[in-house]
Amino acid sequence: MRSIPLRQALREAMEEEMRRDPRVFLMGEEVAQYNGAYKVSQGMLDEFGAKRVIDTPITELGFAAIGVGAAMNNTRPIIEFMTWNFAELAIDQVVNHAAKVLSMSGGQFTCPIVFRGPNGSAGQLGAQHSQAFENWYANVPGLKVISTINPYDAKGLLKAAIRDEDPVVFMEAESSYGELGDVPEEEYIIEIGKADVKRAGTDVTVVSYNKMMKVAMGAAEELAKEGISAEVIDLRTIRPLDWQTIAESVKKTNRLVIVEEQWPFGSISSEITYRIQKEVFDYLDAPIRRITSADANMHYAPNLVAQYLPDVPRTVKLIKEVMYLKK
């Protein structure tokens, strides 16, 4: 087992799939000559050449459309967006074409394409570069949505996404490309649609994904010092969502807290809350609670960035409230 950064885990997934299948190619801004804006594609141009690692103009709508057309014609494109904030320019292609072509063609066309890149906040980048979009894309039938920063999970899930017959939206995090994690040398694939219990516990279930997993795990570690046992679940896949793993955990702990980097209205936590109270209400000993990003645009000032995002102290406080402990 090796400890490698997230960017390397993602690169290895793409390289292995490109060696395995000549139909796979990578396309996006600065992915070739510059080795990727975040060096995820470093060295790939040298190995695979300019026909399979393709630099594009700054035109997200244009190269997303080329990718969709290519996917409909027996190739498997990986489209890198420099950030999902910029990908909103290409949302027509992702939502109105990639997601719908299978049903609109009566099954005559598939669209095996992966749209990937960093998502969410990364410090002082302001309102237009700090948005998390998992809930937007998870609302669209025909798309699969993956969101993770764990190197092991990222590699296995990206390989699965490249092989999938459906379009996949793959959310990463700019601030986490250098973070290390254990990844085996041998090939492996992680099934899309399966959550992972990162920490077993008995007193409360904490559900999260992407970089908010660091907040969830940090809160669990702080609570453990006080004898509180939190079970932490990493969703990994947002659509399809692994309801069963969440439900079974809630049946055991009888409490649920959700930590996410989304605006609160119409968020993923909203959907989880509805589904769990509908299906396992009798097991709940307290109302489901959640901590989200502020219902506002992200500002530039560091004190406002800190107020905007969920953090460990506020998560610990919320979990104690769910357990009816003194604040």
Side-chain angles (χ1 to χ4, degrees):
M1 190 77 72
R2 313 157 294 156
S3 182
I4 64 173
L6 174 63
R7 61 169 55 90
Q8 182 178 339
L10 294 166
R11 180 166 62 249
E12 287 184 1
M14 293 189 290
E15 289 173 339
E16 289 175 13
E17 292 306 302
M18 288 175 73
R19 292 170 191 143
R20 187 188 69 87
D21 186 343
R23 298 175 299 167
V24 179
F25 67 92
L26 173 66
M27 180 165 58
E29 296 157 351
E30 299 184 346
V31 299
Q33 293 288 343
Y34 190 66
N35 290 306
Y38 307 103
K39 300 301 179 274
V40 174
S41 57
Q42 190 166 23
M44 292 180 64
L45 175 63
D46 293 337
E47 177 174 355
F48 298 104
K51 289 187 176 180
R52 297 185 67 195
V53 182
I54 304 167
D55 277 331
T56 68
I58 303 175
T59 170
E60 286 79 8
L61 175 62
F63 63 78
I66 292 170
V68 171
M72 292 170 63
N73 284 276
N74 197 36
T75 68
R76 292 182 174 272
I78 306 165
I79 303 300
E80 178 178 307
F81 294 124
M82 193 177 294
T83 164
W84 279 96
N85 293 277
F86 301 164
E88 301 322 298
L89 295 164
I91 199 168
D92 175 60
Q93 288 299 321
V94 180
V95 171
N96 278 332
H97 297 276
K100 294 177 172 60
V101 66
L102 179 67
S103 60
M104 290 179 65
S105 69
Q108 295 180 77
F109 288 99
T110 59
C111 191
I113 187 171
V114 177
F115 301 100
R116 51 155 293 269
N119 176 64
S121 63
Q124 292 177 263
L125 295 180
Q128 295 176 325
H129 296 73
S130 304
Q131 302 162 106
F133 293 108
E134 285 94 343
N135 60 327
W136 287 34
Y137 293 100
N139 194 46
V140 181
L143 293 179
K144 295 178 179 177
V145 180
I146 296 168
S147 184
T148 184
I149 61 165
N150 179 287
Y152 175 85
D153 294 339
K155 181 175 180 179
L157 284 165
L158 183 53
K159 286 173 68 68
I162 294 168
R163 298 186 188 191
D164 202 283
E165 293 302 320
D166 294 315
V168 179
V169 168
F170 200 98
M171 305 289 203
E172 300 153 14
E174 179 181 341
S175 59
S176 299
Y177 283 124
E179 294 185 9
L180 300 175
D182 291 338
V183 177
E185 296 274 3
E186 62 273 13
E187 184 182 41
Y188 66 96
I189 291 179
I190 296 175
E191 182 181 355
I192 296 173
K194 297 294 182 183
D196 187 39
V197 178
K198 298 297 189 188
R199 183 184 182 117
T202 57
D203 296 329
V204 59
T205 298
V206 182
V207 170
S208 193
Y209 56 92
N210 205 282
K211 63 179 178 291
M212 289 298 106
M213 276 297 299
K214 294 187 284 187
V215 173
M217 292 294 283
E221 290 170 8
E222 289 299 312
L223 291 164
K225 298 174 183 177
E226 302 181 41
I228 300 169
S229 176
E231 180 150 294
V232 183
I233 297 174
D234 186 350
L235 293 177
R236 303 192 299 190
T237 301
I238 308 303
R239 183 177 182 127
L241 199 61
D242 185 355
W243 301 105
Q244 190 65 31
T245 294
I246 303 171
E248 290 304 314
S249 179
V250 171
K251 288 178 182 179
K252 177 175 64 172
T253 68
N254 311 118
R255 293 171 173 85
L256 174 61
V257 172
I258 306 159
V259 186
E260 66 171 343
E261 186 186 356
Q262 300 284 333
W263 292 306
F265 188 87
S267 68
I268 293 160
S269 61
S270 303
E271 186 65 22
I272 293 173
T273 299
Y274 167 76
R275 182 76 174 262
I276 294 302
Q277 66 81 28
K278 177 177 181 288
E279 297 186 1
V280 294
F281 179 81
D282 290 341
Y283 290 88
L284 290 169
D285 288 343
I288 298 170
R289 298 292 299 277
R290 63 179 181 162
I291 181 167
T292 69
S293 295
D295 192 12
N297 292 318
M298 169 78 90
H299 289 280
Y300 180 80
N303 61 317
L304 296 178
V305 171
Q307 287 295 313
Y308 180 89
L309 294 169
D311 60 17
V312 170
R314 282 182 286 165
T315 303
V316 168
K317 181 176 181 289
L318 189 65
I319 291 171
K320 287 182 176 181
E321 289 176 3
V322 165
M323 300 186 67
Y324 301 119
L325 298 174
K326 291 182 179 180
K327 300 179 179 64

